[in-house]
Amino acid sequence: MHEDMVNKHNSVVKTTDKVYFQGDVTFKYGSEFNSLMSRLNGHKRLLIGNHDRIKGTNLLNWFEKVEMWKFFKEHGFVCSHFPLLKDQFIHKVKANVHGHTHQNIINQPEYINVCCEILKNKPIHLDEIKKIIKDRGL
């Protein structure tokens, strides 16, 4: 499974790309995690999830930047681990690209679930997100 994840990640993310991990990165912070993270392309940024252990682990060593959410106003969306309440973003952007809900879809066009279960462990490129927003008429 790890080889599949590395191959899928690196097929989308180039070494010079910024890549946002939307939380709940791992439950095990040992050598296997370190090996996996060292092989993933990109300038890694973390949007903290509810299962991410910040203290007492090496998690933060793998990320250039750590935030709760990230607004991409120029593209019309905000990324977060948890789905945000609409009034937290709708006046600034059109959509919330989120994790946390696994395969459960929020049946509202403003929410774009990018959980690994939905994407089959393959990162989604910015262009795909922009297309989803356009296709949904947002």
Side-chain angles (χ1 to χ4, degrees), residues 17-125:
D17 291 342
K18 290 180 185 173
V19 58
Y20 288 84
F21 289 75
Q22 290 186 241
D24 294 353
V25 176
T26 187
F27 288 107
K28 298 179 180 180
Y29 297 88
S31 61
E32 193 171 14
F33 169 69
N34 291 331
S35 175
L36 177 69
M37 291 300 289
S38 71
R39 296 174 55 213
L40 298 177
N41 287 342
H43 296 274
K44 301 170 190 75
R45 278 103 195 283
L46 174 63
L47 303 177
I48 297 173
N50 55 304
H51 293 293
D52 292 322
R53 288 191 357 233
I54 304 301
K55 293 184 178 181
T57 70
N58 62 346
L59 179 67
L60 298 184
N61 296 340
W62 292 105
F63 297 96
E64 294 176 6
K65 199 168 191 180
V66 177
E67 301 173 275
M68 291 301 294
W69 52 78
K70 173 71 174 167
F71 277 92
F72 293 89
K73 290 182 184 180
E74 68 277 18
H75 301 298
F77 67 91
V78 59
C79 285
S80 60
H81 175 69
F82 292 103
L84 301 175
L85 296 173
K86 264 191 220 177
D87 65 357
Q88 292 175 305
F89 69 87
I90 204 69
H91 61 283
K92 295 179 184 176
V93 293
K94 302 170 188 172
N96 178 204
V97 177
H98 67 86
H100 183 68
T101 60
H102 302 278
Q103 66 275 9
N104 299 314
I105 303 293
I106 298 172
N107 196 20
Q108 296 176 36
E110 297 86 4
Y111 293 95
I112 302 169
N113 183 341
V114 294
C115 288
C116 60
E117 294 89 349
I118 299 290
L119 300 177
K120 297 179 176 41
N121 293 319
K122 186 174 184 181
I124 187 168
H125 193 276

